[in-house]
Amino acid sequence: MVAVGSDHDPRRALGRIAETAASLTGARHAAVGLRDEDGDGPGGPVTHGPSPEAEPAAGDCLEVPIQVRGELFGTLYVAGKDGPEGFGDTDRHLVRVLATEAGIALSNARMHGAARQRRRWIDGAASVTTALLAGPEAGSSAKDALTVVAEKGRELAEAATGAVLLPHSGGGMEVVAISTVLPETVRAEAHRGRIPPQSPVVHQIHAGLAVFSDDFAGDPRSISPMSRHYGPTMLLPLRSNGRVLGALALCRIAGDRRFSHTERTLGTQFAAQAAVALVLADRHRDRERLAVFEDRDRIARDLHDLVIQRLFATGMLLETARRKAVLPEVRDGVGRAVDELDATIQEIRTAIIALQQGPSEAPPGLRTRVLREAAAATAALGTRPSVRFTGPVDTRVDDMGARELLAALGEALAKVTAAAAARPQPTRVEIAVDLTVPPPGGRPGIRLTVARPDDDAPPVVWERPLRGGPGA
């Protein structure tokens, strides 16, 4: 009894009980049959000795239930005793005592197993929270945080696939992050498909209720094509402050053991903790993003209030010096310096507007796209083109006008870079986007000018009337 009670491995403990039962009663065969409806037990009967060839007579076998606190765990069975008298009262008493010990051993094993499981799930939830709140790495996104939840949930549940599903704009739910040991085709199929809005599973998740299934492929509640890959499945709502953010799907392959009551409880708790961690991580990213925007605003103010004013004051001094200069070459040199200062002030103002733009996820404005086109031509030209904007370019030019302007700019730069390929020295290019000069007809319009100051070639000019824009 001491040896059995100190062993936390349930199969080894039950094997000792079967061996002891056969030894004490003189039976040739003993077995512990387990009633394992919840999936928490060791699984399968534990036997000792050769199995009887035929069904033993009533007096040639004993079968005693294994119970703990009224719960039936299984039966302890002995058969094949030598001698004409068969099993007696003493044998029956010994088998009952061993059945009691078997129940205690199973109960202890379940408690130890449940404690290990809880500790593992708690540690896993803590690691997810730590990873999400540690701050996003360079280039990371909200999808990366969801992938962390899916991967850790799959590991803890010992599942084939873990996936995070979020509401789809067209109704239903879609997979936005997945971790799976199944082939890559399954991953690709999961990202292409979605659970339709009429699925009972979706209704249950939106109501904040978990969905458990022992065979998801054959479950009538599942009408998603993805379900054919899976057997035991848990769909757990990601819920925080009464709001369902999405769901965590933990799926085992068909034929695998089903999720026990303990695993279902721990999985539900993990999903709730993960939902809270996701909300906190999202707020953490918002705070960091706000700090970046505040820093950009400060830099923009400093550029405007300090740098531009100083450059403007320097330009005024140079302009005064140019008027007082006697030699023509001095006047021309100072004039070119003033022009360079004006161009520099325009570029700084463009940088200020870029700093004050929205988050990187937002579509870039026309200024940003023009600057990107200019930057792309830098390598071929040997020097970065100068870009000047006049007027509220981002707010007055509509999407179609922006596309037409960018097409004209790309065509002009292509011609300039083709001509620059035959020249050994860098080619200086000036780009101007102006909303203040009305085109022919007197209507408000936009004008693009691409000039090469070092050449005699005429500038490329494109213009068209404004049709209105985002801010018009």
Side-chain angles (χ1 to χ4, degrees):
M1 295 299 183
V2 173
V4 169
S6 61
D7 198 334
H8 297 317
D9 185 318
R11 292 198 67 84
R12 195 162 53 230
L14 295 179
R16 287 189 177 186
I17 287 174
E19 181 183 0
T20 304
S23 174
L24 293 178
T25 61
R28 292 188 298 273
H29 173 77
V32 179
L34 301 174
R35 181 177 179 269
D36 190 24
E37 294 181 355
D38 189 46
D40 284 330
V46 179
T47 63
H48 173 74
S51 300
E53 298 297 327
E55 185 70 24
D60 196 29
C61 66
L62 280 176
E63 189 172 0
V64 177
I66 300 174
Q67 291 179 316
V68 176
R69 292 184 292 274
E71 180 182 0
L72 180 63
F73 279 71
T75 58
L76 175 56
Y77 174 86
V78 291
K81 182 173 182 177
D82 294 329
E85 65 277 2
F87 295 104
D89 292 338
T90 301
D91 298 325
R92 189 178 303 276
H93 175 70
L94 289 171
V95 172
R96 284 175 177 168
V97 172
L98 288 171
T100 302
E101 183 62 27
I104 295 173
L106 281 173
S107 179
N108 289 340
R110 285 193 176 188
M111 286 191 295
H112 282 282
R116 286 195 299 270
Q117 270 191 327
R118 288 190 182 92
R119 183 167 58 251
R120 196 163 58 88
W121 280 86
I122 291 172
D123 291 343
S127 67
V128 167
T129 303
T130 301
L132 295 182
L133 297 183
E137 297 180 357
S140 65
S141 62
K143 183 179 178 181
D144 298 322
L146 298 176
T147 303
V148 170
V149 173
E151 185 170 354
K152 197 63 182 180
R154 179 187 64 79
E155 292 176 1
L156 293 172
E158 298 176 348
T161 296
V164 174
L165 298 91
L166 295 182
H168 189 270
S169 57
M173 304 189 79
E174 62 177 338
V175 175
V176 295
I178 187 171
S179 171
T180 182
V181 297
L182 298 183
E184 188 63 30
T185 54
V186 177
R187 183 192 301 271
E189 182 183 359
H191 281 296
R192 288 195 306 269
R194 66 186 179 98
I195 302 179
Q198 64 269 26
S199 170
V201 169
V202 172
H203 295 300
Q204 199 161 342
I205 290 295
H206 285 327
L209 302 175
V211 177
F212 303 107
S213 176
D214 291 339
D215 181 19
F216 204 49
D219 196 318
R221 295 174 298 176
S222 174
I223 57 177
S224 170
M226 279 296 298
S227 62
R228 72 181 188 277
H229 298 290
Y230 302 113
T233 297
M234 296 192 291
L235 282 167
L236 311 168
L238 296 170
R239 185 174 182 178
S240 177
N241 293 329
R243 184 167 64 98
V244 177
L245 309 176
L248 172 62
L250 301 174
C251 312
R252 290 173 176 165
I253 60 175
D256 204 348
R257 65 180 181 88
R258 63 193 188 88
F259 291 105
S260 67
H261 175 74
T262 302
E263 288 173 324
R264 294 180 178 187
T265 301
L266 293 173
T268 303
Q269 294 171 352
F270 172 82
Q273 179 67 26
V276 173
L278 286 172
V279 171
L280 293 177
D282 192 51
R283 292 178 181 174
H284 181 71
R285 282 191 294 270
D286 288 342
R287 285 195 298 270
E288 290 196 340
R289 192 178 295 115
L290 179 60
V292 170
F293 291 156
E294 289 176 347
D295 197 34
R296 289 168 64 173
D297 287 342
R298 179 187 58 78
I299 295 172
R301 286 194 303 271
D302 290 345
L303 286 173
H304 182 272
D305 297 342
L306 300 177
V307 178
I308 288 183
Q309 289 187 7
R310 289 180 179 178
L311 289 175
F312 188 74
T314 303
M316 293 180 65
L317 292 174
L318 289 175
E319 186 65 31
T320 302
R322 185 174 70 87
R323 288 196 299 267
K324 294 181 179 180
V326 177
L327 296 176
E329 57 268 22
V330 174
R331 285 197 302 270
D332 293 342
V334 174
R336 286 195 297 271
V338 172
D339 293 340
E340 287 295 329
L341 281 178
D342 288 341
T344 303
I345 291 173
Q346 289 293 336
E347 291 185 359
I348 292 176
R349 284 175 175 165
T350 299
I352 291 173
I353 293 174
L355 285 171
Q356 293 173 334
Q357 285 184 347
S360 58
E361 292 85 356
L366 179 57
R367 290 176 182 267
T368 302
R369 286 182 281 179
V370 169
L371 291 173
R372 288 178 181 172
E373 290 286 339
T378 300
L381 297 174
T383 182
R384 188 183 183 93
S386 167
V387 183
R388 185 175 72 255
F389 297 96
T390 305
V393 173
D394 282 335
T395 59
R396 290 299 308 277
V397 183
D398 62 356
D399 291 339
M400 182 177 294
R403 288 195 295 269
E404 292 176 359
L405 185 144
L406 290 170
L409 176 60
E411 183 178 350
L413 288 176
K415 293 179 180 178
V416 172
T417 53
R423 300 181 52 171
Q425 66 271 23
T427 301
R428 193 159 64 96
V429 176
E430 294 179 352
I431 301 171
V433 180
D434 191 353
L435 264 68
T436 62
V437 180
R443 292 178 56 191
I446 181 171
R447 176 180 295 172
L448 168 68
T449 305
V450 180
R452 290 178 288 172
D454 298 336
D455 294 342
D456 295 331
V460 176
V461 179
W462 172 93
E463 60 184 17
R464 49 146 281 188
L466 287 176
R467 299 189 185 99

Short mmCIF file of all heavy atoms in Angstrom, two decimals, residues 24 34 37 67 86 108 114 128 157 195 207 228 230 244 253 255 283 287 388 396 409 439 447 453 456 460 464:
data_model
loop_
_atom_site.label_atom_id
_atom_site.label_comp_id
_atom_site.label_asym_id
_atom_site.label_seq_id
_atom_site.Cartn_x
_atom_site.Cartn_y
_atom_site.Cartn_z
N LEU A 24 -2.03 -12.12 -4.11
CA LEU A 24 -2.69 -12.40 -2.83
C LEU A 24 -3.86 -13.36 -2.97
O LEU A 24 -4.19 -14.10 -2.03
CB LEU A 24 -3.18 -11.08 -2.20
CG LEU A 24 -2.08 -10.11 -1.75
CD1 LEU A 24 -2.70 -8.84 -1.20
CD2 LEU A 24 -1.20 -10.76 -0.69
N LEU A 34 -10.67 0.81 -16.67
CA LEU A 34 -10.89 2.21 -16.30
C LEU A 34 -12.09 2.80 -17.04
O LEU A 34 -12.27 2.57 -18.23
CB LEU A 34 -9.64 3.04 -16.62
CG LEU A 34 -8.36 2.58 -15.90
CD1 LEU A 34 -7.18 3.38 -16.40
CD2 LEU A 34 -8.52 2.72 -14.41
N GLU A 37 -14.44 8.64 -19.00
CA GLU A 37 -15.28 9.45 -19.87
C GLU A 37 -14.72 10.85 -20.07
O GLU A 37 -14.97 11.50 -21.07
CB GLU A 37 -16.70 9.54 -19.29
CG GLU A 37 -17.43 8.19 -19.27
CD GLU A 37 -18.83 8.31 -18.71
OE1 GLU A 37 -19.17 9.42 -18.26
OE2 GLU A 37 -19.57 7.31 -18.73
N GLN A 67 -14.06 2.94 -6.56
CA GLN A 67 -14.80 4.16 -6.31
C GLN A 67 -14.04 5.04 -5.32
O GLN A 67 -13.37 4.55 -4.42
CB GLN A 67 -16.19 3.86 -5.72
CG GLN A 67 -17.15 3.20 -6.70
CD GLN A 67 -18.49 2.92 -6.06
OE1 GLN A 67 -18.54 2.44 -4.92
NE2 GLN A 67 -19.56 3.22 -6.76
N GLY A 86 -12.39 -22.14 -5.64
CA GLY A 86 -12.48 -20.82 -6.26
C GLY A 86 -12.19 -19.71 -5.26
O GLY A 86 -11.57 -19.91 -4.21
N ASN A 108 -5.21 10.51 -6.64
CA ASN A 108 -3.98 11.28 -6.43
C ASN A 108 -3.31 11.63 -7.76
O ASN A 108 -2.81 12.75 -7.95
CB ASN A 108 -3.00 10.48 -5.57
CG ASN A 108 -3.46 10.39 -4.12
OD1 ASN A 108 -4.27 11.20 -3.68
ND2 ASN A 108 -2.94 9.42 -3.39
N ALA A 114 -3.64 17.35 -12.72
CA ALA A 114 -4.35 18.62 -12.85
C ALA A 114 -3.51 19.79 -12.35
O ALA A 114 -3.51 20.87 -12.94
CB ALA A 114 -5.68 18.56 -12.09
N VAL A 128 2.70 34.81 -22.28
CA VAL A 128 2.03 35.56 -23.34
C VAL A 128 1.85 37.02 -22.93
O VAL A 128 2.12 37.94 -23.71
CB VAL A 128 0.67 34.92 -23.68
CG1 VAL A 128 -0.18 35.86 -24.53
CG2 VAL A 128 0.87 33.61 -24.42
N ALA A 157 -2.26 23.42 -25.32
CA ALA A 157 -3.35 22.46 -25.52
C ALA A 157 -2.88 21.18 -26.19
O ALA A 157 -3.69 20.26 -26.36
CB ALA A 157 -4.44 23.11 -26.37
N ILE A 195 -15.36 31.59 -41.54
CA ILE A 195 -16.58 30.97 -41.02
C ILE A 195 -17.74 31.86 -41.40
O ILE A 195 -17.76 33.05 -41.04
CB ILE A 195 -16.50 30.79 -39.49
CG1 ILE A 195 -15.27 29.95 -39.13
CG2 ILE A 195 -17.76 30.14 -38.97
CD1 ILE A 195 -15.10 29.73 -37.65
N ALA A 207 -21.94 35.52 -28.62
CA ALA A 207 -22.65 35.57 -27.34
C ALA A 207 -21.72 35.37 -26.15
O ALA A 207 -22.16 35.39 -25.00
CB ALA A 207 -23.75 34.49 -27.31
N ARG A 228 -13.04 20.05 -41.79
CA ARG A 228 -12.80 18.65 -42.20
C ARG A 228 -11.44 18.14 -41.76
O ARG A 228 -11.20 16.93 -41.74
CB ARG A 228 -12.94 18.53 -43.71
CG ARG A 228 -11.80 19.14 -44.50
CD ARG A 228 -12.02 18.98 -46.00
NE ARG A 228 -10.87 19.39 -46.77
CZ ARG A 228 -10.61 20.63 -47.11
NH1 ARG A 228 -11.43 21.60 -46.73
NH2 ARG A 228 -9.54 20.93 -47.83
N TYR A 230 -10.14 18.46 -38.73
CA TYR A 230 -9.97 18.39 -37.29
C TYR A 230 -11.01 17.50 -36.61
O TYR A 230 -12.12 17.29 -37.11
CB TYR A 230 -10.04 19.80 -36.69
CG TYR A 230 -8.99 20.71 -37.26
CD1 TYR A 230 -9.34 21.81 -38.05
CD2 TYR A 230 -7.64 20.46 -37.05
CE1 TYR A 230 -8.37 22.63 -38.60
CE2 TYR A 230 -6.66 21.28 -37.59
CZ TYR A 230 -7.04 22.36 -38.36
OH TYR A 230 -6.07 23.16 -38.91
N VAL A 244 -16.64 40.90 -26.88
CA VAL A 244 -15.98 39.77 -27.55
C VAL A 244 -15.12 40.32 -28.69
O VAL A 244 -15.63 40.89 -29.66
CB VAL A 244 -17.02 38.77 -28.09
CG1 VAL A 244 -16.32 37.63 -28.83
CG2 VAL A 244 -17.84 38.20 -26.94
N ILE A 253 -6.18 16.78 -34.41
CA ILE A 253 -6.56 16.06 -35.63
C ILE A 253 -7.57 14.98 -35.29
O ILE A 253 -7.71 14.56 -34.13
CB ILE A 253 -5.31 15.45 -36.30
CG1 ILE A 253 -4.60 14.48 -35.35
CG2 ILE A 253 -4.37 16.53 -36.77
CD1 ILE A 253 -3.44 13.75 -36.00
N GLY A 255 -9.31 11.63 -34.57
CA GLY A 255 -8.81 10.42 -33.92
C GLY A 255 -7.96 10.68 -32.71
O GLY A 255 -7.64 9.74 -31.97
N ARG A 283 -3.22 49.05 -26.12
CA ARG A 283 -3.12 50.36 -25.47
C ARG A 283 -1.66 50.77 -25.31
O ARG A 283 -1.33 51.97 -25.45
CB ARG A 283 -3.81 50.32 -24.11
CG ARG A 283 -5.33 50.16 -24.21
CD ARG A 283 -5.98 50.06 -22.86
NE ARG A 283 -7.43 49.90 -22.98
CZ ARG A 283 -8.24 49.68 -21.95
NH1 ARG A 283 -7.73 49.62 -20.72
NH2 ARG A 283 -9.53 49.55 -22.14
N ARG A 287 0.01 54.15 -26.77
CA ARG A 287 0.79 55.13 -26.00
C ARG A 287 2.14 55.39 -26.66
O ARG A 287 2.60 56.54 -26.73
CB ARG A 287 0.99 54.62 -24.56
CG ARG A 287 -0.25 54.72 -23.70
CD ARG A 287 0.10 54.57 -22.23
NE ARG A 287 0.69 53.26 -21.95
CZ ARG A 287 -0.02 52.20 -21.60
NH1 ARG A 287 -1.34 52.27 -21.49
NH2 ARG A 287 0.58 51.05 -21.35
N ARG A 388 9.74 71.43 -54.46
CA ARG A 388 9.08 72.58 -53.83
C ARG A 388 7.58 72.46 -54.01
O ARG A 388 7.09 72.17 -55.11
CB ARG A 388 9.59 73.88 -54.44
CG ARG A 388 9.03 75.12 -53.75
CD ARG A 388 9.63 76.40 -54.29
NE ARG A 388 9.16 76.72 -55.64
CZ ARG A 388 9.87 76.57 -56.75
NH1 ARG A 388 11.10 76.08 -56.68
NH2 ARG A 388 9.38 76.88 -57.94
N ARG A 396 -6.25 69.55 -51.45
CA ARG A 396 -7.02 70.08 -52.57
C ARG A 396 -7.00 69.19 -53.81
O ARG A 396 -7.83 69.36 -54.70
CB ARG A 396 -6.49 71.47 -52.96
CG ARG A 396 -6.79 72.57 -51.96
CD ARG A 396 -8.29 72.77 -51.78
NE ARG A 396 -8.99 72.94 -53.04
CZ ARG A 396 -9.09 74.09 -53.70
NH1 ARG A 396 -8.53 75.17 -53.22
NH2 ARG A 396 -9.76 74.15 -54.83
N LEU A 409 4.87 63.05 -63.65
CA LEU A 409 6.18 63.18 -63.00
C LEU A 409 7.08 61.99 -63.33
O LEU A 409 8.27 62.16 -63.64
CB LEU A 409 6.00 63.30 -61.49
CG LEU A 409 7.28 63.35 -60.65
CD1 LEU A 409 8.14 64.55 -61.05
CD2 LEU A 409 6.95 63.38 -59.16
N PRO A 439 -4.29 77.81 -64.33
CA PRO A 439 -4.02 77.45 -65.73
C PRO A 439 -4.92 78.25 -66.66
O PRO A 439 -5.77 79.01 -66.21
CB PRO A 439 -4.35 75.95 -65.77
CG PRO A 439 -5.39 75.79 -64.72
CD PRO A 439 -5.06 76.78 -63.64
N ARG A 447 -0.18 72.80 -61.14
CA ARG A 447 0.86 72.81 -62.16
C ARG A 447 2.08 72.06 -61.64
O ARG A 447 2.53 72.28 -60.51
CB ARG A 447 1.26 74.23 -62.52
CG ARG A 447 2.42 74.32 -63.51
CD ARG A 447 2.75 75.75 -63.82
NE ARG A 447 1.65 76.40 -64.53
CZ ARG A 447 1.60 77.71 -64.80
NH1 ARG A 447 2.60 78.49 -64.41
NH2 ARG A 447 0.58 78.22 -65.45
N PRO A 453 18.12 73.16 -64.33
CA PRO A 453 18.73 74.49 -64.39
C PRO A 453 20.07 74.52 -65.10
O PRO A 453 20.46 75.57 -65.64
CB PRO A 453 18.88 74.86 -62.91
CG PRO A 453 18.02 73.92 -62.17
CD PRO A 453 17.90 72.70 -62.97
N ASP A 456 20.06 73.84 -71.19
CA ASP A 456 19.24 74.79 -71.94
C ASP A 456 17.89 74.21 -72.31
O ASP A 456 17.07 74.90 -72.93
CB ASP A 456 19.99 75.19 -73.23
CG ASP A 456 21.28 75.95 -72.92
OD1 ASP A 456 21.31 76.61 -71.87
OD2 ASP A 456 22.23 75.86 -73.72
N VAL A 460 9.73 70.73 -68.31
CA VAL A 460 8.50 69.98 -68.58
C VAL A 460 7.41 70.55 -67.69
O VAL A 460 7.58 70.63 -66.47
CB VAL A 460 8.70 68.47 -68.30
CG1 VAL A 460 7.39 67.72 -68.51
CG2 VAL A 460 9.79 67.91 -69.22
N ARG A 464 -3.48 71.06 -65.00
CA ARG A 464 -4.89 70.72 -65.22
C ARG A 464 -5.74 71.41 -64.17
O ARG A 464 -5.26 71.71 -63.06
CB ARG A 464 -5.09 69.21 -65.16
CG ARG A 464 -4.50 68.52 -63.99
CD ARG A 464 -5.32 67.36 -63.53
NE ARG A 464 -6.45 67.85 -62.75
CZ ARG A 464 -7.27 67.05 -62.09
NH1 ARG A 464 -7.10 65.77 -62.14
NH2 ARG A 464 -8.26 67.55 -61.37
#
